[in-house]
Amino acid sequence: MSFSEINIDVFRAINDLGAPNSAFNPVVIFFAEYMLYFLFLVLVFHWFTRRTKNRMMVIQAVIATVVAEVLGKIAGHFYSHNQPFAVLPHVNKLIDHAIDNSFPSDHSIVFFSICVSVWLVRKKEWWLWLILAPCVAISRVWVGVHYPVDVLTGALLGIISALFVYWLVPKLAFIKQLLNMYEKVENRILPSKNKTENF
């Protein structure tokens, strides 16, 4: 059996779950389409706790996402295919999506880049997101817009980028200098005496 056949078979096994388990479809659709917005809100929340540790974490997450997206675009030039619903018959397509190159999955790239970046800094609170990130990746297959290889590649790029940035950014003095400059300006505009240590 070829890799392509395995990829399609695994896609079918996950995507076909939508018909007999339709009660779960609203939850899966939420994960596939809207969980990303919640993730961004969490980053914004951590930024405005005004803790330097949290802000460095957010910076690392954003940089990791950018790095992973660039790697994803490069990978997409070497290997590409349209979404399953545009190619295969009888796909359970549960959300609207434009037809373009679905390799690799941007959702997987973003979720794994951010979730791993945050987990590396805040392991006690964020272990749950290491479960949610794969759930989002699987949901993209369930709703019919990605193959397993799309989400697995996106996850791999996100993890590698998060680990690399976590190692690199603390070594870059100019990042800390820029953050210090920002915080000085912020404190002049919005003075804050009470910073929440627990966040």
Side-chain angles (χ1 to χ4, degrees):
M1 183 178 290
S2 67
F3 173 78
S4 178
E5 291 173 327
I6 294 174
N7 188 39
I8 293 173
D9 286 347
V10 176
F11 167 77
R12 289 292 192 191
I14 298 173
N15 181 248
D16 287 348
L17 293 172
N21 301 284
S22 59
F24 292 103
N25 285 343
V27 176
V28 175
I29 291 171
F30 176 81
F31 271 81
E33 287 225 274
Y34 304 110
M35 185 60 74
L36 189 62
Y37 301 109
F38 179 71
L39 182 62
F40 289 150
L41 287 176
V42 170
L43 287 183
V44 171
F45 167 77
H46 276 94
W47 182 267
F48 284 106
T49 59
R50 302 181 74 168
R51 302 303 306 165
T52 300
K53 175 184 175 181
N54 287 348
R55 286 180 167 175
M56 285 299 295
M57 176 187 73
V58 172
I59 290 170
Q60 290 173 192
V62 171
I63 294 175
T65 302
V66 172
V67 171
E69 284 286 358
V70 170
L71 294 176
K73 297 304 180 186
I74 294 172
H77 282 294
F78 290 96
Y79 179 75
S80 65
H81 52 233
N82 290 335
Q83 285 78 11
F85 68 80
V87 179
L88 302 177
H90 311 301
V91 170
N92 293 316
K93 181 174 177 284
L94 302 181
I95 64 174
D96 291 328
H97 198 289
I99 298 176
D100 53 19
N101 180 19
S102 70
F103 178 85
S105 165
D106 286 326
H107 270 70
S108 290
I109 286 175
V110 172
F111 252 87
F112 279 88
S113 296
I114 293 176
C115 289
V116 174
S117 293
V118 174
W119 176 78
L120 287 168
V121 177
R122 306 187 64 87
K123 293 184 175 68
K124 290 183 179 179
E125 301 93 347
W126 276 78
W127 62 268
L128 179 62
W129 288 90
L130 296 184
I131 298 174
L132 291 178
C135 287
V136 170
I138 293 171
S139 75
R140 301 295 288 179
V141 180
W142 183 303
V143 300
V145 298
H146 282 294
Y147 292 99
V149 69
D150 301 335
V151 298
L152 287 174
T153 303
L156 182 62
L157 292 175
I159 292 169
I160 291 173
S161 298
L163 292 172
F164 173 71
V165 170
Y166 178 72
W167 167 81
L168 177 65
V169 166
K171 303 177 186 297
L172 301 177
F174 78 92
I175 296 289
K176 295 179 181 179
Q177 291 170 355
L178 288 174
L179 181 57
N180 286 336
M181 290 173 58
Y182 168 84
E183 290 182 336
K184 287 179 180 178
V185 173
E186 181 186 57
N187 285 329
R188 289 178 182 176
I189 300 172
L190 297 171
S192 176
K193 295 181 179 179
N194 298 318
K195 293 185 177 181
T196 307
E197 293 290 343
N198 292 331
F199 288 96

